Amino acid sequence: MGEPGIAQLEPDKIWDLPAGCALRPLGRGYNNFLYRLHSSIGESLPFVLRVYGNHANPKYIQHEMSVLVQLASRALPFAVPVPIPNRRGELWALADYGLGARLMVLVPFIRGENPDVHDLAQAEAAGQAMATLHAALRQVESRGVGAPRPYIELGRVHPLVPNPFEAMRQFGSLATRSDVAHVDAILERICAHEKRIRALPQQLIHGDFIAGNILMEGTQVSGVLDFENCAFNPRAMDFAIAIDTWCWDAMSSGREWERIAALARGYRRVGCFSEEEIALLPAMMLLRNASVLMHLVGRFLANLSPFVDVENWVDSMKRVDAWLILHGHRLTACVREHMI
């Protein structure tokens, strides 16, 4: 569903668009809303409006916009959502349509569907696209202005959660002692690997390489979306995030291994990871889950998300943690076999 009040927005007065064009909800992420543009007679236009739901400060997307503009010149085999300048020549707009100011960008519509995690050919193509994107991002210049904090800096994910070990304790009786203890244990394991993670090869990465941010036509990647989390991190962090996404429904079923192998084979077509990067994939999977948890706790404290979102993510973290305890060594062996 779209955000209430969006119908009041007139994008043709901000961008060079046909008069009277309308917005129809296309989908949304956790923080943002997406709208497909249509003409006054209902014809689809080749544009998508992205409305940011978690902030209205342009400085936070300057880095994202800069990265996308530079990627547009890299002749990638897939599209990225390069912003279209408005009538003032800016890559974003601030508009107020009854619910307060909203930051928004207009991007080209990219054809495709999210990959089917059961489709191994698509998983392999996604792995190759990740490596191709990494190679392009190494050529992107960034001053770090507006860039998200690296994943390893858990205390800077959200301003209301400066101490990760206090995050769950801020809920009082809402959080069970068992959940608080389990999250503490996960954080302790992450801290035990912090120096090694910081020593890994660092570069700009996508930062949220999940199936929902990939578009495919058949077995070809047609687009990579949502660069809001693009930042300097260990380059293998994207692969750890992808494993979580592609294997979530299959963890402990035995079907996860063919998917991991496909992602690794695809990445190997363009690049590869070192032994140390592969060895730390389990720790980076936990790190990503912990980072999302800090974000959700902050949103709850800011009255932007319900506690059930935190509860559900803690359950998710516990499941991933249990799987890694049982199969972490097999995970690294599987990636090593198909990548090195």
Side-chain angles (χ1 to χ4, degrees):
M1 295 180 61
E3 186 178 19
I6 191 68
Q8 301 175 37
L9 185 65
E10 298 176 296
D12 53 295
K13 294 186 177 179
I14 303 174
W15 285 274
D16 288 321
L17 296 167
C21 60
L23 301 171
R24 296 181 186 173
L26 181 63
R28 70 160 299 177
Y30 191 80
N31 299 312
N32 307 310
F33 297 85
L34 299 174
Y35 300 90
R36 182 77 188 270
L37 271 68
H38 292 75
S39 71
S40 58
I41 60 174
E43 294 178 335
S44 297
L45 298 174
F47 306 106
V48 171
L49 186 71
R50 183 184 188 194
V51 179
Y52 289 76
N54 57 343
H55 66 83
N57 192 334
K59 77 175 185 179
Y60 293 137
I61 66 164
Q62 289 177 353
H63 167 75
E64 180 186 1
M65 299 298 102
S66 173
V67 167
L68 288 167
V69 169
Q70 291 181 66
L71 285 177
S73 66
R74 297 295 169 186
L76 290 167
F78 46 80
V80 295
V82 183
I84 298 169
N86 61 28
R87 288 179 172 174
R88 298 173 58 180
E90 297 170 337
L91 298 180
W92 56 80
L94 271 172
D96 191 325
Y97 49 91
L99 294 175
R102 290 293 187 270
L103 178 65
M104 53 198 70
V105 296
L106 186 72
V107 299
F109 175 74
I110 302 172
R111 296 190 179 278
E113 302 289 337
N114 295 138
D116 178 355
V117 295
H118 302 278
D119 189 323
L120 300 183
Q122 289 192 336
E124 196 162 332
Q128 180 176 352
M130 184 196 303
T132 301
L133 182 59
H134 284 175
L137 285 170
R138 283 195 290 273
Q139 306 303 314
V140 168
E141 295 183 5
S142 171
R143 292 178 296 174
V145 178
R149 304 305 307 177
Y151 271 101
I152 196 63
E153 296 184 11
L154 289 175
R156 302 182 72 175
V157 173
H158 197 284
L160 297 180
V161 193
N163 184 346
F165 284 94
E166 293 298 320
M168 294 297 293
R169 290 171 173 81
Q170 297 187 74
F171 297 118
S173 61
L174 284 176
T176 68
R177 290 183 179 180
S178 174
D179 282 349
V180 173
H182 203 141
V183 170
D184 280 354
I186 291 173
L187 292 174
E188 287 169 359
R189 285 202 292 281
I190 293 170
C191 289
H193 293 292
E194 180 178 352
K195 289 184 178 180
R196 292 175 66 194
I197 291 173
R198 289 184 181 277
L200 292 175
Q202 308 277 320
Q203 68 158 86
L204 281 178
I205 67 168
H206 182 273
D208 198 18
F209 205 89
I210 62 175
N213 287 332
I214 312 299
L215 294 177
M216 304 198 71
E217 291 187 316
T219 57
Q220 299 296 317
V221 174
S222 58
V224 179
L225 310 175
D226 193 356
F227 282 72
E228 192 173 5
N229 292 298
C230 179
F232 283 93
N233 280 291
R235 62 183 174 185
M237 193 77 199
D238 272 341
F239 199 85
I241 293 168
I243 291 173
D244 204 341
T245 300
W246 259 266
C247 297
W248 170 251
D249 70 307
M251 283 182 173
S252 298
S253 70
R255 299 190 307 275
E256 65 265 46
W257 307 113
E258 61 185 8
R259 301 181 192 181
I260 294 169
L263 287 167
R265 286 195 304 270
Y267 196 96
R268 185 65 184 90
R269 293 178 188 171
V270 177
C272 66
F273 297 132
S274 68
E275 286 279 0
E276 182 72 347
E277 287 173 296
I278 293 172
L280 287 170
L281 283 172
M284 285 188 281
M285 288 179 68
L286 292 178
L287 176 58
R288 190 261 177 165
N289 274 268
S291 179
V292 174
L293 177 62
M294 299 304 118
H295 178 67
L296 292 176
V297 172
R299 284 181 62 85
F300 171 83
L301 295 175
N303 295 315
L304 294 174
S305 297
F307 179 68
V308 68
D309 287 358
V310 176
E311 280 186 306
N312 290 339
W313 194 261
V314 170
D315 288 342
S316 172
M317 282 182 65
K318 289 160 64 177
R319 184 182 177 201
V320 172
D321 184 41
W323 181 76
L324 287 171
I325 289 172
L326 290 173
H327 304 294
H329 289 298
R330 184 174 178 182
L331 163 63
T332 55
C334 180
V335 175
R336 188 180 299 111
E337 176 185 355
H338 295 278
M339 188 174 289
I340 296 179

